[in-house]
Amino acid sequence: MEGETPEPAAPATFLRGEEGASPESARARFERMIRRVQANVCAELEAVEGGTSNNGGGGGALFREDAWTRPGGGGGISRVLQGGRVFEKAAVNVSVVYGVMPPGAYRAARPEVAAAAAAGGEKAGPVPFFAAGISSVIHPVNPFAPTVHFNYRYFETEAPKDAPGAPRQWWFGGGTDLTPSYIIEEDVKHFHSVQKQVCDNYDPSFYPRFKKWCDDYFYIKHRGERRGVGGIFFDDLNDYDQETLLRFATDCADSVLPAYIPIIERRKDTLFTEEHKAWQQLRRGRYVEFNLVYDRGTTFGLKTGGRIESILVSLPLTARWEYDHKPEVGSEEWKLLDTCINPREWI
């Protein structure tokens, strides 16, 4: 696909022509939602960063913004804060892109659907698509303050160019998950309770279903452990009407700050040692392994020729690998690892 073009400032909308004809379309409303959430999250993180921290130095860091467009359609806004007193690195990105995706990208976006089509003898061809989403990863400085990740996205695909006539398909995906270096039950239970409350407002089956999906998705197969303590995750969601799922995705995105900021406020000034920091770096190594090997969003971005700085911005500034490292049984580090191997029900 075409490379991106840097822009001096983000346009009011990345939709154009037919794409932006209706301000009340799902595409237009989703774009407005993700850009509002991006602004709110960045403002809140800068407010936290501007406070005092016992374990850092220098002034509070601010977000850098890069806007870009694609010749084929759409663009995005990347906002990144790094080297702060509270946050080592925080990225909050939005993108709204459309055009035609190659077969490999479609297989990355919808592996089950693509596999079923291939099994039926269908030949893969270029697929017209629309994809919009917000994606964020926040890595704090303090080892007792957990990393959080959230991503909410909306996809549409048309019939392949060489097989016209099939109906348009649409679906939502996303989730919010927590990755601590140390288990602090008060924090994990608060985080999960916020996810459950949002889910229960729509369907009481959502939380247990999406919580298990999250535990299964963020599984590092070659390690036999999860990336963190989970949250919610869903993909290819279209089993409710579009309006309901748009509101659900919006409420999920709006729940990130109340789920996460109270935890950060409690933990950002906790005293820590070099040993605590070394364990945090080892766990961030696991974060890197999952994102580069298994994450569908990373795979999709790489296969569609996406903006590489935006795709890899989820990686922490620093990480660590030690040969055959095993925490002492019964230690706080071991408790975290045991939880990642054996997921728990938190509420």
Side-chain angles (χ1 to χ4, degrees):
M1 290 188 175
E2 311 94 333
E4 74 280 355
T5 301
E7 300 291 346
T13 177
F14 288 106
L15 301 174
R16 66 188 187 198
E18 181 182 348
E19 308 298 332
S22 172
E24 294 309 309
S25 68
R27 295 182 178 192
R29 292 168 64 194
F30 197 85
E31 181 191 18
R32 291 198 298 272
M33 183 274 283
I34 60 178
R35 292 181 68 166
R36 174 183 59 79
V37 171
Q38 182 189 46
N40 291 347
V41 170
C42 290
E44 189 68 24
L45 295 184
E46 285 187 345
V48 173
E49 179 66 28
T52 58
S53 173
N54 293 336
N55 295 311
L62 300 176
F63 278 91
R64 162 185 169 175
E65 178 176 298
D66 291 325
W68 50 274
T69 56
R70 290 177 59 248
I77 306 167
S78 299
R79 291 183 180 173
V80 181
L81 178 158
Q82 57 188 15
R85 297 185 299 179
V86 178
F87 302 108
E88 178 184 282
K89 186 178 182 184
V92 191
N93 296 342
V94 297
S95 63
V96 180
V97 296
Y98 41 91
V100 179
M101 74 170 88
Y106 185 66
R107 287 193 294 270
R110 303 207 80 186
E112 295 84 2
V113 176
E122 296 181 27
K123 182 181 178 181
V127 178
F129 81 102
F130 171 90
I134 180 168
S135 181
S136 175
V137 179
I138 302 165
H139 296 291
V141 171
N142 196 301
F144 293 99
T147 288
V148 74
H149 157 259
F150 72 92
N151 176 296
Y152 292 97
R153 54 197 177 273
Y154 173 65
F155 270 81
E156 290 180 7
T157 58
E158 304 281 359
K161 290 289 189 181
D162 53 0
R168 170 180 292 181
Q169 297 180 323
W170 59 264
W171 67 96
F172 291 87
T176 307
D177 63 282
L178 199 68
T179 305
S181 297
Y182 291 91
I183 296 293
I184 303 176
E185 297 219 6
E186 174 191 11
D187 295 346
V188 182
K189 289 180 178 179
H190 165 77
F191 182 83
H192 275 269
S193 70
V194 174
Q195 310 308 310
K196 184 177 186 300
Q197 182 177 1
V198 174
C199 289
D200 287 352
N201 288 338
Y202 289 85
D203 187 325
S205 73
F206 274 7
Y207 175 74
R209 175 183 167 194
F210 297 159
K211 193 267 185 189
K212 183 180 186 305
W213 203 340
C214 188
D215 289 337
D216 292 342
Y217 178 77
F218 292 104
Y219 181 63
I220 308 172
K221 296 177 185 177
H222 60 272
R223 295 286 189 181
E225 63 191 66
R226 278 77 187 166
R227 190 174 75 176
V229 296
I232 60 170
F233 177 87
F234 57 89
D235 208 357
D236 301 328
L237 195 64
N238 59 7
D239 51 359
Y240 279 72
D241 65 272
Q242 192 177 63
E243 175 66 24
T244 296
L245 293 179
L246 178 57
R247 286 190 288 108
F248 175 61
T250 299
D251 287 351
C252 286
D254 284 333
S255 75
V256 171
L257 290 175
Y260 186 61
I261 294 300
I263 299 173
I264 284 294
E265 293 288 6
R266 286 196 292 264
R267 308 304 167 196
K268 65 185 177 70
D269 294 316
T270 301
L271 297 177
F272 60 85
T273 66
E274 291 183 7
E275 288 75 19
H276 294 136
K277 193 67 178 176
W279 173 248
Q280 179 197 52
Q281 298 300 294
L282 286 169
R283 295 310 303 173
R284 288 196 173 157
R286 299 293 201 268
Y287 208 95
V288 171
E289 290 176 27
F290 176 85
N291 282 26
L292 293 182
V293 177
Y294 301 113
D295 185 66
R296 277 174 64 176
T298 301
T299 303
F300 177 78
L302 294 174
K303 290 185 177 180
T304 55
R307 185 174 186 266
I308 193 67
E309 290 299 326
S310 298
I311 296 168
L312 299 182
V313 78
S314 64
L315 303 182
L317 277 185
T318 57
R320 180 185 181 103
W321 285 264
E322 289 184 15
Y323 180 74
D324 198 28
H325 182 276
K326 292 183 176 68
E328 181 181 350
V329 175
S331 67
E332 293 302 312
E333 292 78 11
W334 178 87
K335 291 177 184 177
L336 182 279
L337 182 58
D338 182 64
T339 300
C340 291
I341 295 172
N342 303 293
R344 293 171 50 185
E345 297 300 323
W346 297 99
I347 51 177

